[in-house]
Amino acid sequence: RLALLLADRSGASGGGRRGTAPDLMELLPQWLAAANTRGFAPPPALLPALLDAARGRTDLRPAALRFAGPRALWLARFNPDWRFALRSTPGGATAVPGPRDAGGARRLWEEGLFAERVALLAALRSREPTAARGLLESTWATERAEDRLMFLDSLRTGLGPDDEPFLEQALADRSRNVRATAAELLSALPGSALAARMGVRAGACVAVDHTRDVPTIAVEAPHECDAGMERDGVVAKAPAGRGDRSWWLGQLVEAAPLGGWSRRLGGRTPQEIVALPVADDWQGELHAAWCRAAVRQRDAAWSRALLGNPSAPEAGGPGAVSLAERARLLGTLDAAERAEWVAAFIDTHGLSEAFQLLGVCAVPWAAPVGRAVVDALDIARDAGSYPWSFSGVMGLAERCLDPSEAGRLDALLAIPDEAENASPGAGGYWSEAFQRLVTTLRLRAAMLTELAPPAP
């Protein structure tokens, strides 16, 4: 099966009619993921073809190199085209010391190459966050600014309250980028002192005005960016086209703990707060900052409020100013809730706006998402729409639809009668696309069965 997937080049032509044959190279990532999960090793003779495929597609490299194992690194030393494997695998064949080898970890941290040290820090953070931070603290003062930034970024894995003292020290770093990253990480800890300081500042800018006919949020943006704000990560100079005061306000609100807004705004829930009118055209700025805060703090309650009802006619929540922002908010919800929201969105608004939202759904798609996508494609076909307008969604469906859906699609394989207003030949294209989808789903099912563990 791997040889067939690697030999396929049908998706490389870049244009023209695809026909009904599956794009096997697009199935390679799923095959590698399943093979890695179930502990398979590669046939050695296929390693050159696998390295060639990974050379041309950077998205394949992590899974391909994990599957290929040490022999691929040995091979890469004999072919300059495969040197990416040595760069992608920090230190080439240098293994990260195990959990019980504290001395080996210390030696690698003090003597290793930069890539080896990054790999060590990442591995340690996933299993021993405190030990990883201890290594970083031991050499922090002597590291180069660009290296400090990369090392600090690794603290996102396993970030917790114990990291706060170190990150507070990093707020005084001589590098502006390091200071900004430290501030961002601290604001992702709602219980941190920095988050509390930002909450006080943001709270002083936002209040409920009860003098109007209905309670309304009033905003008084900062009039200056003082030294304390800059130390806590507020960037003083606004980008071109942005006013200074709105720029400062957005940074304060996105770094403030979301849990504090209910107390400041009359005990209201996130849904009630988001539903309040905002005076003087500040709604877009305020809600966008709350969106960023919900994503940073992984706050599902605020994400739900800002996403709003997926069936609402405006095709999005009050704070979701773009599809990309909605996708990020959806990422804070669990997979089942995310699937239900996206399915309801597609049922109301169709597929034209849903492509980015589908990208955050777990694969294979849950049944509600799969049904919504197939139904929307069927509606588009019956309406005589241009089939190539939906090629991106169809390609996603080939890779993401649950293979068990194949039987339900058989009724869509016939060439439909073309409506008077349909584009010429559209029926044939739709029939080919659905045939390719069904064939691909059945192939995916066969692939996973082949890699399944034997029945006891």
Side-chain angles (χ1 to χ4, degrees), residues 381-399:
R381 181 189 67 160
D382 289 346
S385 301
Y386 290 100
W388 39 92
S389 300
F390 296 89
S391 59
V393 174
M394 192 66 81
L396 265 184
E398 290 169 21
R399 299 189 295 277

Side-chain angles (χ1 to χ4, degrees), residues 60-153:
L60 280 178
R61 290 180 184 179
L65 293 176
R66 178 184 166 195
F67 179 64
R71 187 177 277 114
L73 301 178
W74 173 78
L75 274 176
R77 291 187 170 88
F78 298 100
N79 185 345
D81 289 345
W82 299 334
R83 290 297 170 87
F84 71 86
L86 302 177
R87 295 191 299 270
S88 301
T89 307
T94 302
V96 173
R100 298 181 182 178
D101 188 5
R106 168 66 63 178
R107 284 192 301 275
L108 184 58
W109 179 251
E110 294 177 349
E111 302 171 8
L113 300 173
F114 172 71
E116 294 170 339
R117 301 175 76 209
V118 170
L120 172 64
L121 205 58
L124 279 179
R125 279 299 286 189
S126 65
R127 67 183 191 229
E128 300 174 76
T130 301
R133 191 184 63 252
L135 284 181
L136 184 54
E137 287 178 304
S138 69
T139 61
W140 181 257
T142 61
E143 303 288 357
R144 300 183 306 165
E146 56 268 33
D147 293 353
R148 291 199 305 278
L149 183 62
M150 288 286 291
F151 293 146
L152 194 64
D153 203 58

Side-chain angles (χ1 to χ4, degrees), residues 224-384:
E224 65 171 343
C225 181
D226 59 35
M229 289 166 61
E230 288 200 62
R231 181 184 180 276
D232 284 345
V234 177
V235 178
K237 184 174 176 56
R242 288 287 301 274
D244 286 340
R245 295 181 66 200
S246 65
W247 172 243
W248 300 330
L249 174 76
Q251 293 178 80
L252 295 182
V253 172
E254 72 177 277
L258 288 164
W261 288 110
S262 177
R263 184 177 64 256
R264 291 190 180 93
L265 301 178
R268 292 175 171 85
T269 65
Q271 285 84 354
E272 292 168 337
I273 292 171
V274 168
L276 288 172
V278 183
D280 302 324
D281 296 325
W282 281 106
Q283 178 169 308
E285 188 69 52
L286 183 61
H287 285 198
W290 277 333
C291 280
R292 297 192 296 274
V295 172
R296 185 181 295 186
Q297 296 171 37
R298 311 295 299 173
D299 193 306
W302 271 88
S303 292
R304 290 187 198 102
L306 291 159
L307 280 164
N309 187 337
S311 303
E314 67 273 14
V321 296
S322 69
L323 286 168
E325 197 158 38
R326 277 175 236 156
R328 287 192 287 271
L329 288 169
L330 284 167
T332 68
L333 308 181
D334 65 49
E337 186 176 1
R338 202 182 314 161
E340 292 285 353
W341 198 96
V342 173
F345 182 92
I346 294 170
D347 287 341
T348 301
H349 305 289
L351 291 170
S352 60
E353 292 194 64
F355 189 80
Q356 280 183 283
L357 305 183
L358 287 169
V360 300
C361 292
V363 177
W365 287 335
V369 175
R371 284 194 298 268
V373 170
V374 172
D375 290 346
L377 288 170
D378 192 19
I379 290 169
R381 181 189 67 160
D382 289 346

